Structure formats: C-alpha cells, structure tokens
Amino acid sequence: MGTQAAQGFLLLLFLPLLQPRGASAGSLHSPVLSECFQVNGADYRGHQNRTGPRGAGRPCLFWDQTQQHSYSSASDPQGRWGLGAHNFCRNPDGDVQPWCYVAETEEGIYWRYCDIPTCHMPGYLGCFVDSGAPPALSGPSGTSTKLTVQVCLRFCRMKGYQLAGVEAGYACFCGSESDLARGRLAPATDCDQICFGHPGQLCGGDGRLGVYEVSVGSCQGNWTAPQGVIYSPDFPDEYGPDRNCSWALGPPGAALELTFRLFELADSRDRLELRDAASGSLLRAFDGARPPPPGPLRLGTAALLLTFRSDARGHAQGFALTYRGLPDAAEDPGPPEGSAQTPAAPLDGANVSCSPRPGAPQAAMGGAVCRLREKGPRLWGLPGAPEEAGPCGTDGPEGWPCPAPPETSRLRVLPQATGL
C-alpha cells in the first residue's frame, strides 16, 4: 500500500466526521412511513402476504403450515421472529430481506424474497439504474472484497459527499442530490447482490446502485428537521469498541418525542445518555442491561444532546430511534428510582457469523471462508480470476475500497494517487 493510501486510512480513524457538502442535517426521508429500521428487514412485522407489492407476486404459505421446512410457527413458539398463524412476509433467519415460503415450482423453488415498498430503512433512497455513461453517481468510486453498506457510507462521508451508492456487491460510488435529479429508479428487487463484506446486507445489483444518505450511521450530527431518525455509529454494521459519539437534536417545537425502533447494546458498559442541551442535566440513560421502555418517550425539552459510548470490547447491532418535535412541553415521568426494565430480546439470526460449518457449502471471499445459505445460496466472487480481488481485500485496511479489476470497464477506476 502506498503512503497516501495509508494516510487516507489514518484520517478515517482519527479525524472528526465531515459534514457533507450541502447536506441538510436530519434529512433522512420519511421515517414515519417506514416499517423497517434494520437494513435486512428483520424487524418487519407488517401484513404483506405476497411476494410482490399491491397484490402482485406469488401468495405466501401460512407459517403454521410449513413444518416440513426449517422455519414455521412451531419453531418460533415465543414469536421472536414474528411467525405465527398467518402468511405475512418475515425474515426469521437474518437473510438480506424478508421472504416467505411459496408453493413449490417445477424448478424446485419453495421460497421467495418479498418486495415490500415500506420495508426500507430511512436513509435508503432506492435502487437506481447505473448505465455507466454517465455514471449514476458522479463522485469518487472504488471497490472492495470486504464492502459493506457502512464501509461505502464512511468512504463517501470522508470525501464530503451527500450520497453513497453500492453496486454489484463490491463497488462503491459517491455523489450528490443533483445526481439523483437525473437518475432513473429501478425495481427494488433489482438490487439483489449480497455485500462481499456482510452476508446479511445487499449492495446493489448488476448495473444497479443502492443509494443511501451518508448521515446513516454517522458518529455526530446536528439534527434540526421537524422529524427524522438517528442511528447508532456504523449502522447498519455493528458499532465498534471505544466509540464516543454525540448528536444535537433541536427540531421546531417546545418538546420532543422519541421512539426506539431498535435497541441492542452489548452490555451495561455501552451507554446512551439523553441530556438537556441547555442545562446539561441528565434526563434518561439506557444501556445493554436497561433498555428504553416500549412506545413513545416524551421529553419536556426543545433541544437534546444524545451521547453514546462503548467500551473496549463493545460491539452489537446498536439502535435506531425516530424523533419529532412537539408543540407543548408535556413530559413522561421517568422510571422509579431503582426500578429495572426488562431487556428486549435480540432477534435470533440477526447477526450472521462468517465461519465454516462441516459439510456446508462454502465460498471464498477476500481470504475468508463463509458458509452459503442452504435456503437460497448466492455465489461470491468478483468478475475475472479470483486472485485479482484478493490483495485489495486482504492486504489493505479492512473494508477499504480498492481499484476495480480491469474486466469491469464500466466501473470508473481510481488512480493509485488518490489515497485509496
């Protein structure tokens, strides 16, 4: 790796996050309309019961009639995965998106992914066509055999761009809102390629960009929109150890309402604090042993400072919370002194391990070996010879984009001097 590349990576680790050029803080789109706040829709509890939206696609089988398969209401007696006597799309195994069993076809296919328009986390702007001439996002780009959604977001955030796009499982592009003005939306199901760095995330498709706002998973920010959503650092990846992040929250109104859509911290040493921005007084504090209460939480302050700290060992999915400003200052009473709140149980299968299993099909990616899903395997690998992808994913900093292989002529290849 060159000197400039090493310097670029050190900047990522030690410099504060830059505010994207022209970005309006707190501009994540339509959080109140979303039914999902996890990138893979594992938290979907909606009522779509066909594989396509608005009555399209194939009908789903009822979960209490699928005992011959791996997942049924009998395998989820506590309802942690949302299975039951219904045929709604769910994601019980931590796959890349909700799915359901269908009547077996002549090809032997017995399950399908569900295309659910309302199940896309706020901050995801959609699946866009990328013909390459001109590119859908006009900023810097690169590829990585360890690409995740957050790796691309972090890269574009450091470059000062508003948007980040992932494509074909391994490519990352940066751009601005002006690029989207001339962009062309593609069907959501076209963005169906698994990220090379995370088997539970989708990174665009063949000639298709999955586009995100770079504020998703940022470690700091100033949020002034009337409503929005704040994610834990590194989201949708797990947050890392020794994180110290803060977000200033000041929407119009005299009070605030917060609703935690997801909360999963590693232990009591990973802590989220809510403080009055004017006085600095502590209003609420939550950690891995004391999660927030279910339902909306009203705070009688117009401006809030949120701080999150993780210890040296901490890593977990994190949190997603929606907020909105309220016209009056009515406040919910805090929990009684010394009372304990029951921790929310994490979703089984939400965090997918990358380790070989005896007898399971495997695929090599960037020097690691990951088992493929028996339910619906996809093959890993960059175009061209496998050895072309190895050095960038293994010798360089983990997850950092690297120049594209020569076979992928449609992707713009960055020169080595750019610091990638």
Side-chain angles (χ1 to χ4, degrees), residues 142-195:
T143 67
S144 172
T145 56
K146 296 186 178 180
L147 187 71
T148 68
V149 171
Q150 184 55 226
V151 164
C152 186
L153 291 173
R154 187 184 305 124
F155 170 64
C156 295
R157 194 157 53 230
M158 287 301 300
K159 294 292 184 180
Y161 284 84
Q162 298 166 297
L163 305 177
V166 287
E167 182 173 347
Y170 65 93
C172 173
F173 296 86
C174 307
S176 61
E177 291 185 357
S178 60
D179 291 326
L180 289 191
R182 56 177 174 77
R184 182 158 54 96
L185 275 169
T189 51
D190 283 6
C191 287
D192 61 355
Q193 298 297 308
I194 293 176
C195 300

Side-chain angles (χ1 to χ4, degrees), residues 96-348:
V96 292
Q97 65 191 79
W99 56 275
C100 69
Y101 291 114
V102 296
E104 190 169 348
T105 66
E106 293 180 358
E107 295 81 18
I109 298 173
Y110 59 93
W111 67 275
R112 295 278 188 182
Y113 287 124
C114 297
D115 179 8
I116 308 173
T118 56
C119 187
H120 294 291
M121 56 178 280
Y124 177 70
L125 303 183
C127 185
F128 289 80
V129 175
D130 184 14
S131 62
L137 295 180
S138 57
S141 65
T143 67
S144 172
T145 56
K146 296 186 178 180
L147 187 71
T148 68
V149 171
Q150 184 55 226
V151 164
C152 186
L153 291 173
R154 187 184 305 124
F155 170 64
C156 295
R157 194 157 53 230
M158 287 301 300
K159 294 292 184 180
Y161 284 84
Q162 298 166 297
L163 305 177
V166 287
E167 182 173 347
Y170 65 93
C172 173
F173 296 86
C174 307
S176 61
E177 291 185 357
S178 60
D179 291 326
L180 289 191
R182 56 177 174 77
R184 182 158 54 96
L185 275 169
T189 51
D190 283 6
C191 287
D192 61 355
Q193 298 297 308
I194 293 176
C195 300
F196 277 31
H198 196 301
Q201 297 179 12
L202 291 175
C203 282
D206 185 13
R208 300 292 185 266
L209 271 175
V211 180
Y212 292 82
E213 292 183 339
V214 299
S215 49
V216 172
S218 61
C219 191
Q220 64 182 27
N222 184 23
W223 304 82
T224 57
Q227 61 185 18
V229 59
I230 296 176
Y231 294 103
S232 53
D234 308 321
F235 199 92
D237 294 353
E238 294 185 346
Y239 65 83
D242 297 319
R243 300 312 306 265
N244 187 355
C245 303
S246 62
W247 305 268
L249 190 55
L256 284 163
E257 181 181 272
L258 308 182
T259 303
F260 285 86
R261 310 290 181 167
L262 170 71
F263 192 88
E264 183 189 327
L265 303 188
D267 52 41
S268 60
R269 293 180 293 273
D270 296 345
R271 180 178 171 96
L272 176 67
E273 295 183 348
L274 314 180
R275 293 182 179 273
D276 183 280
S279 65
S281 59
L282 180 65
L283 304 178
R284 298 285 193 279
F286 308 112
D287 55 46
R290 292 173 292 274
L297 174 64
R298 294 194 173 195
L299 301 172
T301 179
L304 192 67
L305 180 66
L306 292 83
T307 59
F308 172 74
R309 293 180 177 85
S310 63
D311 66 4
R313 297 181 299 173
H315 63 87
Q317 181 60 76
F319 59 85
L321 66 90
T322 55
Y323 74 86
R324 66 187 182 104
L326 299 176
D328 59 75
E331 181 175 357
D332 291 338
E337 187 68 26
S339 65
Q341 297 166 347
T342 303
L347 289 170
D348 286 356

Side-chain angles (χ1 to χ4, degrees), residues 142-143 170 382-392 402-414 416:
T143 67
Y170 65 93
L382 285 170
E387 60 268 19
E388 291 175 331
C392 291
C402 60
E407 282 78 10
T408 55
S409 57
R410 189 176 60 77
L411 299 176
R412 291 163 292 127
V413 181
L414 295 176
Q416 294 289 346

Side-chain angles (χ1 to χ4, degrees), residues 342-360:
T342 303
L347 289 170
D348 286 356
N351 300 318
V352 182
S353 63
C354 180
S355 58
R357 184 179 64 179

